[in-house]
Amino acid sequence: MYEGKTSERLTVSSGVPQGSVLGPLLFLIMINDLSSNVPTSLVLYADDTTILSRHENSTHALNLSKTNLNYAQSWLAANELVLNETKTHTFLFSTKANSTSFETPPKFLGITLDPTLNWNSHIIGLKKKLSSSIYALKRLCGELEREDVRKAYFGLFQSHMSYGLLVWGASPHAQNIFLLQKKAIRIISGSGQLEHCKPLFQNLKILTLHSLYILHCLLYMQGNSEKIELREAFHNYETRHRLRIKYLILGYTKVTAAHS
């Protein structure tokens, strides 16, 4: 109703009305059983669906991807939904150095992916964003007290730097981000370009990029203890390092073809 006028009632035969309060919840209920009808791992986020097809052979991975997409299309047709083909793409990921490059690196929830998952593409984009944040911090230094600039650092710089850190923080390209962080710290503290940064981090009580990465890993382990396996799970020998973590199940595979 708007200004005393009511629109005509229409029957919704399929789908979810846009703009309704219950719309998002009804859509999630409707889409929830898609994963039960596609025989592989799916990542569902709102109306964005990613199908993961794994195989050690790249050709087989691509064939599995096509097969799984057909399962998804069959489910969509049965539920009177339409696949947006213009936004549906196939990407091959491999740890092999000669993996095919992407014309346009895909983004998944704000993380830029590259064919070998070395996170170089994501870090290049992040550097540009953080450079803009550093410029903003420089401008603020002439207007605000140091403590206020420090607070702005967390919103303008560290918030971007921390996003997705768990997946790209171990990349050798992460050192480029650390250099930008040190530059930001020197700006906040009013220090010279050659001044040692360790005492600056300590005085400002700001964690370095590497410390943040370790913190994110520990928090992940704490919240996903059921996914952690110790070395003793693979043998019965009383070895010295049997209580060390064997690996974390992070969804990593050698070859992945994905639709999103």
Side-chain angles (χ1 to χ4, degrees), residues 38 45 52 60 62 66 74 112 115 124 130 134 154-155 166 172 188 211 220 230-231 247 250 258:
V38 180
Y45 184 81
L52 303 175
H60 291 169
L62 291 172
K66 294 177 182 178
S74 299
T112 304
I124 289 175
L130 294 180
I134 288 176
F154 291 103
L166 183 63
I188 298 172
S211 298
Y220 177 86
L230 303 180
R231 293 183 178 182
Y247 59 83
L250 296 175

Side-chain angles (χ1 to χ4, degrees), residues 116-189:
T116 58
L117 295 179
N118 61 18
W119 310 110
N120 185 41
S121 297
H122 176 75
I123 290 174
I124 289 175
L126 181 59
K127 284 174 60 179
K128 296 179 181 179
K129 189 176 296 184
L130 294 180
S131 295
S132 299
S133 300
I134 288 176
Y135 175 76
L137 290 175
K138 286 183 179 179
R139 296 292 300 270
L140 290 175
C141 282
E143 304 293 337
L144 302 176
E145 297 293 333
R146 177 176 298 180
E147 179 58 27
D148 294 325
V149 178
R150 176 183 175 274
K151 293 177 181 178
Y153 160 86
F154 291 103
L156 296 174
F157 192 96
Q158 183 164 305
S159 60
H160 295 301
M161 184 182 69
S162 300
Y163 183 73
L165 182 59
L166 183 63
V167 296
W168 61 263
S171 168
H173 304 288
Q175 182 66 19
N176 297 325
I177 302 300
F178 183 49
L179 293 176
L180 288 176
Q181 187 190 24
K182 291 197 292 185
K183 186 175 182 179
I185 294 302
R186 290 190 178 105
I187 290 173
I188 298 172
S189 59

